[in-house]
Amino acid sequence: MKHKERLDVVLVERGLCDSRSKAQALIMSGLPTRRFVFEGFLPVPKKEREDRLCARAGETRTILLYEAPHRLCRTLQDLLDTLGNREIALCRELTKLHEAVSYTHLRAHET
């Protein structure tokens, strides 16, 4: 069976980033939850950030990332540059009143 490219999850959380929001992001994304890799927040320094993303370039599990709203555009571009044009689920305000998930492609956010 040919491997189907899976979605990446980028979680934008304005508050506590705890295990509850991580689990909720996986559930709400509709992505496979059996196997995933949690990267937390990517490093801010460019070289460290590139190294971390390059290490995930061939990843077949769902990737879960946290990112601050003010760095989201940069992270989406870095993901596109490193992982290619993949579908993503953007989750925000999880475990709060106004939680939301949107589905898109990385290329839609290309700068």
Side-chain angles (χ1 to χ4, degrees):
M1 183 166 115
K2 185 178 177 185
H3 169 69
K4 182 180 178 189
E5 202 168 73
R6 88 276 169 240
L7 299 175
D8 296 304
V9 178
V10 177
L11 169 63
V12 179
E13 185 65 41
R14 291 186 180 139
L16 294 176
C17 297
D18 57 14
S19 58
R20 187 174 53 166
S21 60
K22 178 172 51 175
Q24 184 138 357
L26 284 170
I27 292 165
M28 289 182 65
S29 72
L31 306 175
T33 57
R34 185 171 179 195
R35 297 188 70 226
F36 68 93
V37 59
F38 174 61
E39 284 294 325
F41 285 96
L42 292 173
V44 175
K46 185 175 180 157
K47 177 66 173 139
E48 292 175 39
R49 188 179 185 84
E50 287 174 354
D51 290 347
R52 178 87 62 88
L53 287 174
C54 285
R56 293 289 167 234
E59 186 61 66
T60 59
R61 298 171 289 181
T62 298
I63 300 171
L64 176 59
L65 301 167
Y66 285 159
E67 191 52 275
H70 68 278
R71 287 196 305 261
L72 182 60
C73 289
R74 174 184 168 194
T75 297
L76 291 172
Q77 185 62 51
D78 290 346
L79 288 168
L80 175 62
D81 294 344
T82 308
L83 305 176
N85 187 31
R86 297 186 183 182
E87 293 179 272
I88 58 171
L90 294 169
C91 308
R92 67 178 182 86
E93 300 290 334
L94 296 180
T95 73
K96 298 179 182 159
L97 181 62
H98 302 289
E99 66 188 16
V101 178
S102 59
Y103 304 92
T104 186
H105 287 82
L106 286 170
R107 186 142 321 207
H109 300 280
E110 192 170 20
T111 55

